[in-house]
Amino acid sequence: MLLHNARVATMTGAGAYGLIDRGAMVVEGQRLVWVGAAADLPSDYSALPATDLQGRLVTPAPIDCHTHLVFGGNRAREFEMRLEGASYEEIARSGGGIVSTVRATRQASEDELLAEALTRVDALIAEGVATIEVKSGYGLDHETELRMLRVARRIASERPVAVTTTFLGAHAVPPEYLGRDDAYIDEVCIPTLRAAHDAGLVDAVDGFCEGIAFQPAQIARVFDVARALDLPVKLHAEQLSDLGGAELAASYGALSADHIEYLGETGVAAMARAGTVAVLLPGAFYTLRETRLPPIAALRRHRVPMALATDANPGSSPLTSLLLAMNMGCTLFRMTPQEALAGVTVHAAKALGMADRGRIAPGLRADLAVWDVAHPAELAYRMGFNPLYKRYFGGRA
């Protein structure tokens, strides 16, 4: 089919946003086969069934490259506690935080977890999102971690969205292993990772490298297994302190290092050398009322790609709006609107190792978002407003 009379933000690097005014796109099956100015449309395509987009903006369909969408319960009470003065670390050390969600997730059935996750997925799809990364990490035992990954896989059969799964067994130490971090890694995390891989449930491996979670040497043991299984890695790094997590991740050729508010110049340089994407998560920064900004200037200086994501989770980022994450990236982190849009398209795709999406170009997936706006900057400018007109997922509206 032919989509025409559109302003196309290709995100291919051809100028700001790669804009094509009065643009056209030809879709065959799930792929784009031609993109360009309508005046240059080859005659072979002129008789195709055509849709007039009436001058609307078209971008690659957004990609949410860091989420924790599958979980049980909620942590609204902890939200109150933080407002009453408790810190994230204090809540975590007193049995709240991730561990409180672990209790609720372990008690939920697979169908219950799926039903709850789909409400959050629907909110993202309504904003044009076509690809979502979903992590485990709220089970912290063999059975529940696998259950979470099965639920994540089922999402794509229930909704028109692509889902990539990440094993996050090294997320926190469960109560039954309190004070025995290494035993948890050896007895639960690594064996469950192997089982998830054998069952075809995992696409990548993540960890939480932080004082309230795991040390770099412990994460390295998990990453060694991931490497042996030929699985890519990524890491929650430098969110609350600088333990050298991003540098560790880069040494494994990580797809991404995420959060990174406390990242130093050495870690930025290591990421640049490894081609590791910086995934910025302003929802957590906002919710936790943090004040330490990610090193945006250093990331720009070293040309580290910056992705943006919701970090949708029940505690530190109960956010299911990627559009709002774009606005937060601009207002809180001082990103430009162009950087924000690249952050949820081309750089988000790179953070997931998915080279077939995130841009509008021949040969790539026809995952497109059509917006009722005149300029791409409007997508990051507005708050609480969804201008989506239509979403194409693999060429189908």
Side-chain angles (χ1 to χ4, degrees):
M1 64 179 173
L2 170 66
L3 305 175
H4 67 105
N5 191 14
R7 191 174 204 200
V8 184
T10 63
M11 306 309 293
T12 57
Y17 303 103
L19 282 174
I20 302 173
D21 285 316
R22 298 181 183 86
M25 295 151 285
V26 176
V27 178
E28 183 176 342
Q30 296 186 346
R31 303 281 166 178
L32 292 156
V33 296
W34 188 88
V35 178
D40 298 328
L41 181 71
S43 58
D44 290 353
Y45 299 134
S46 60
L48 288 173
T51 299
D52 184 346
L53 295 179
Q54 300 177 325
R56 292 182 174 90
L57 176 71
V58 180
T59 70
I63 297 166
D64 198 349
C65 66
H66 181 130
T67 84
H68 306 254
L69 284 173
V70 176
F71 59 83
N74 71 76
R75 279 151 54 190
R77 173 55 190 144
E78 292 177 22
F79 175 68
E80 283 190 317
M81 291 171 65
R82 284 198 300 273
L83 294 175
E84 292 164 358
S87 71
Y88 183 72
E89 294 94 327
E90 289 168 342
I91 292 170
R93 294 189 188 280
S94 66
I98 292 168
V99 173
S100 68
T101 297
V102 168
R103 288 193 294 269
T105 304
R106 287 178 176 180
Q107 293 167 4
S109 70
E110 189 169 315
D111 286 343
E112 288 170 337
L113 290 173
L114 178 64
E116 287 294 319
L118 288 177
T119 64
R120 299 181 272 271
V121 169
D122 287 343
L124 292 171
I125 291 174
E127 290 188 349
V129 172
T131 301
I132 303 172
E133 185 256 18
V134 180
K135 304 179 191 294
S136 69
Y138 291 131
L140 306 184
D141 62 23
H142 185 84
E143 177 187 347
T144 316
E145 285 293 300
L146 296 181
R147 185 189 313 149
M148 291 184 69
L149 292 168
R150 286 195 300 269
V151 169
R153 284 282 195 242
R154 287 178 61 187
I155 289 170
S157 65
E158 298 286 336
R159 295 292 188 272
V161 68
V163 174
T164 179
T165 59
T166 300
F167 176 77
L168 182 55
H171 196 195
V173 180
E176 63 269 26
Y177 276 89
L178 191 61
R180 298 189 296 134
D181 303 18
D182 287 310
Y184 168 74
I185 293 291
D186 292 334
E187 297 172 13
V188 177
C189 182
I190 289 175
T192 305
L193 169 56
R194 294 186 188 279
H197 175 264
D198 290 345
L201 294 174
V202 57
D203 300 315
V205 177
D206 199 349
F208 188 14
C209 187
E210 193 54 72
I212 60 172
F214 295 98
Q215 297 298 305
Q218 294 166 328
I219 295 294
R221 281 156 49 204
V222 178
F223 281 6
D224 284 341
V225 176
R227 176 181 282 172
L229 297 174
D230 199 27
L231 290 170
V233 300
K234 57 186 75 174
L235 189 64
H236 290 61
E238 277 71 78
Q239 180 182 8
L240 306 171
S241 62
D242 189 352
L243 296 184
E247 194 168 354
L248 170 72
S251 74
Y252 282 85
L255 291 172
S256 69
D258 304 28
H259 286 290
I260 64 167
E261 283 89 336
Y262 285 79
L263 181 64
E265 189 88 17
T266 301
V268 174
M271 290 174 63
R273 289 192 298 270
T276 298
V277 176
V279 177
L280 307 181
L281 304 169
F285 180 91
Y286 170 86
T287 301
L288 299 178
R289 296 188 295 172
E290 295 289 349
T291 57
R292 176 70 172 257
L293 293 168
I296 301 294
L299 293 169
R300 287 173 178 152
R301 188 165 57 251
H302 288 271
R303 298 183 179 179
V304 175
M306 293 182 288
L308 276 171
T310 63
D311 190 20
N313 73 68
S316 63
S317 187
L319 173 66
T320 52
S321 171
L322 199 52
L323 288 173
L324 184 53
M326 291 172 64
N327 176 270
M328 288 178 170
C330 294
T331 56
L332 298 177
F333 294 166
R334 311 297 190 266
M335 297 175 74
T336 67
Q338 191 276 335
E339 288 173 330
L341 184 55
V344 300
T345 54
V346 59
H347 295 155
K350 182 175 173 61
L352 296 179
M354 305 177 92
D356 66 341
R357 65 201 70 197
R359 294 168 292 136
I360 299 178
L364 303 189
R365 273 185 62 89
D367 289 349
L368 308 169
V370 185
W371 309 93
D372 273 320
V373 300
H375 192 276
E378 292 185 57
L379 299 177
Y381 153 71
R382 296 181 183 271
M383 293 181 287
F385 178 76
N386 181 4
L388 185 72
Y389 171 74
K390 184 180 292 187
R391 184 192 76 145
Y392 289 90
F393 176 64
R396 301 186 67 177

